């Protein structure tokens, strides 16, 4: 406790760094995966290459990825951009499949009914398919959210600061309080962002609750 | 009793014509099922044509060819002489009211929003569309207190009525109704049929009404078309004609399924006149 109160400022800064590294990849992978997942769900021909391709991303070990990405995109090795790009790729690896499943879960008869009442393709996507894909999409998004928050800590090994820095520092300098604080805060951030996803979904999908209550 | 068709005739100059014409329409689905074989029919303006046939006879397929949910393999469907294939699908669909067989409501929209679907797509303000939707709910006999529920919170029959209200919302000239009263009990069904006759007397749409219940076809159709498999027309005519002169055994058996209920006799029970149907089942008491 004593250690924490003395280092509150540093811990706060690392927490902010952690959020800055976690939130963009979560949003970016959602943004990329939704259209790819919709494509995969809509076309049997594209489905396999898209899902296998993005699924394989997850097989790339993270440390080499931290070296390949800067080389490929011209970021500096320790820049947040490297971290954000790597985590976006991992996020997509999970979320493209999740989104494909989500869009496949939209009942075909609802899609047909919406088309029959004069929704254009674009209107159908935004106002019918996306909301109805929401529940399944949400469950993948929650996995990605939690895993991204925990993967951010890996960056500490190559010197990208986050709550993970509290473990690496703590181990090197033998400060248990630092290690514990790092672990607890990482879990708290993961839970908090997960809860945020659930709340946002509840707001965006009011029919879900109304119907399950009935 | 069948001499006067249920729907009040309308002066034809009431609105611009809306004639639907099927010309030698053929539909083979990709899996090889032939749903419709060389079907031709003219649905006159402001009239109700009831298509009746057993399950799988191609009724839904015929309806869907009008709003281009299904394109015929050959032949044409036209509205007022214009081939629907030359029309924009989305515009065409918004201009036609379609009541789907199973209701077809959007599960994530409230009842009022479902009814307001097409007006909102067409750019009407949500507020106005909602106000109109409440009026339509009343018109199809639903309590406006249901407006904020979701479809899953309604009974099957209520959902179907919402489907009817939605089809009426954009005030289309053409209505396609696919077994709209399939999920309601006989009493409510009679009531809805009566309401629909009153509504049609008032609004005079061109309606294609699909049912597998010959009684319903007789009750609502100005003209009834009895279909065999492949949408082959077994007989076509006014209800009274078909009832009086079934063209063949198929039509006779189809009509017969309903005639047991329609051939009524009087039997004395406890000094009162009880009306019984062809099977001897009591259907009511005669008032003198
Ligand atoms: N999308 C489809 N693909 C293949 N076959 C189909 C398709 N839709 C309908 N069919 C077949 O076409 C035939 C006619 O179907 P349709 O739905 O038009 O019948 P229906 O008269 O409406 O039947 P019901 O009274 O049961 O609703 C059936 O044999 C059906 O199995
Ligand atoms: Mg059908």
């Amino acid at each position: 406790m004593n250690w924490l109160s003395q280092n509150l400022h540093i811990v706060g800064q690392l927490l902010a760094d952690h959020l800055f590294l976690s939130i963009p990849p979560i949003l970016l992978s959602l943004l990329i995966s939704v259209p790819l997942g919709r494509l995969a769900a809509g076309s049997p021909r594209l489905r396999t290459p898209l899902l296998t391709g993005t699924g394989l991303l997850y097989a790339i070990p993270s440390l080499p990825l931290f070296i390949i990405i800067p080389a490929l995109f011209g970021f500096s090795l320790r820049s947040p951009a490297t971290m954000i790009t790597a985590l976006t790729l991992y996020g997509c690896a999970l979320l493209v499949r999740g989104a494909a499943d989500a869009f496949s879960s939209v009942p075909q008869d609802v899609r047909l009914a919406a088309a029959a009442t004069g929704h254009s393709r674009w209107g159908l996507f935004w106002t019918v398919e996306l909301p109805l894909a929401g529940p399944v999409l949400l469950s993948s998004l929650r996995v990605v959210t939690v895993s991204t928050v925990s993967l951010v800590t890996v960056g500490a090994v190559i010197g990208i600061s986050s709550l993970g820095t509290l473990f690496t520092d703590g181990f090197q300098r033998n400060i248990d309080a630092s290690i514990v604080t790092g672990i607890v805060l990482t879990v708290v951030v993961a839970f908090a962002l997960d809860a945020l996803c659930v709340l946002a979904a509840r707001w965006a999908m009011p029919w879900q609750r109304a119907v399950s209550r009935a | 009793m069948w001499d006067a068709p249920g729907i009040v005739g309308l002066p034809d100059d009431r609105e611009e014509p809306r004639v639907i014409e099927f010309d030698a329409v053929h539909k083979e689905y990709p899996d090889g099922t032939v749903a419709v074989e060389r079907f031709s029919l003219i649905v006159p303006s402001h009239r109700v044509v009831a298509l009746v046939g057993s399950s799988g006879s191609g009724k839904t397929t015929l309806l869907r060819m009008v709003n281009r949910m299904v394109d015929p393999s050959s032949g044409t469907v036209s509205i007022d002489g214009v081939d629907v294939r030359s029309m924009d699908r989305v515009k065409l669909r918004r201009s036609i009211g379609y009541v789907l067989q199973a209701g077809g409501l959007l599960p994530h929209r409230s009842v009022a929003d479902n009814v307001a679907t097409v007006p909102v797509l067409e750019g009407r303000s949500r507020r106005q569309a909602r106000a109109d939707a409440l009026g339509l709910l009343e018109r199809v006999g639903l309590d406006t207190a249901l407006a904020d529920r979701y479809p899953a919170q309604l009974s099957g029959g209520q959902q179907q009525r919402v489907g009817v209200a939605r089809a009426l919302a954009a005030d289309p000239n053409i209505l396609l109704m696919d077994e709209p009263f399939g999920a309601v009990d006989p009493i409510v069904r009679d009531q809805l049929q009566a309401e629909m006759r009153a509504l049609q007397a008032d609004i005079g749409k061109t309606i294609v009404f699909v049912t597998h219940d010959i009684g319903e076809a007789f009750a609502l159709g100005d003209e009834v078309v009895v279909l065999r498999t492949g949408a082959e027309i077994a007989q076509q005519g006014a209800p009274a004609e078909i009832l009086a002169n079934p063209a063949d055994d198929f039509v006779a058996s189809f009509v017969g399924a309903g005639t047991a209920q329609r051939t009524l006799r009087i039997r004395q029970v406890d000094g009162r006149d009880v009306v019984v149907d062809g099977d001897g089942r009591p259907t009511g008491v005669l008032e003198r």
Side-chain angles (χ1 to χ4, degrees), chain B residues 125-171:
Chain B
S125 80
R126 271 183 191 278
R127 219 159 136 219
Q128 183 58 45
R130 186 187 159 86
D132 295 349
L134 294 182
L136 282 160
L137 287 178
E138 277 177 352
R139 195 142 200 196
V140 297
L142 286 176
D143 192 338
T144 52
L146 300 181
D148 293 315
R149 291 210 196 164
Y150 290 98
Q153 298 169 308
L154 301 185
S155 73
Q158 289 170 332
Q159 291 185 28
Q160 286 192 321
R161 291 200 228 182
V162 176
V164 174
R166 174 176 66 181
L168 292 172
D171 196 22

Side-chain angles (χ1 to χ4, degrees), chain B residues 93-106:
Chain B
R93 288 171 189 163
R94 287 183 192 173
S95 73
I96 293 177
Y98 180 30
V99 185
L100 287 91
Q101 190 160 3
L105 302 179
L106 302 181

Side-chain angles (χ1 to χ4, degrees), chain B residues 59-60 101 178-179 210:
Chain B
K59 306 180 296 292
T60 297
Q101 190 160 3
D178 199 345
E179 305 201 20
V210 161

Side-chain angles (χ1 to χ4, degrees), chain A residues 112-113 115 117-118 127 207 210, chain B residues 69 93-94 104 108-109 118 150 153:
Chain A
L112 285 178
T117 48
T127 62
W207 70 93
Chain B
M69 288 301 289
R93 288 171 189 163
R94 287 183 192 173
H108 61 304
R109 300 240 184 97
V118 179
Y150 290 98
Q153 298 169 308

Side-chain angles (χ1 to χ4, degrees), chain A residues 3-60:
Chain A
W3 177 87
L4 184 57
S5 57
Q6 280 164 9
N7 292 278
L8 215 51
H9 179 71
I10 296 171
V11 171
Q13 182 57 49
L14 291 176
L15 178 66
D17 289 347
H18 201 105
L19 287 173
F20 174 72
L21 291 171
S22 329
I23 294 172
I26 295 169
L27 295 180
L28 281 172
S29 48
L30 184 65
L31 214 65
I32 295 167
S33 301
V34 163
L36 290 182
R38 174 64 187 84
L39 269 180
S43 145
R45 205 176 310 160
L46 288 177
R47 191 182 166 91
T48 313
L50 269 173
L51 295 190
T52 323
T54 48
L56 278 177
L57 289 174
Y58 216 71
I60 309 173

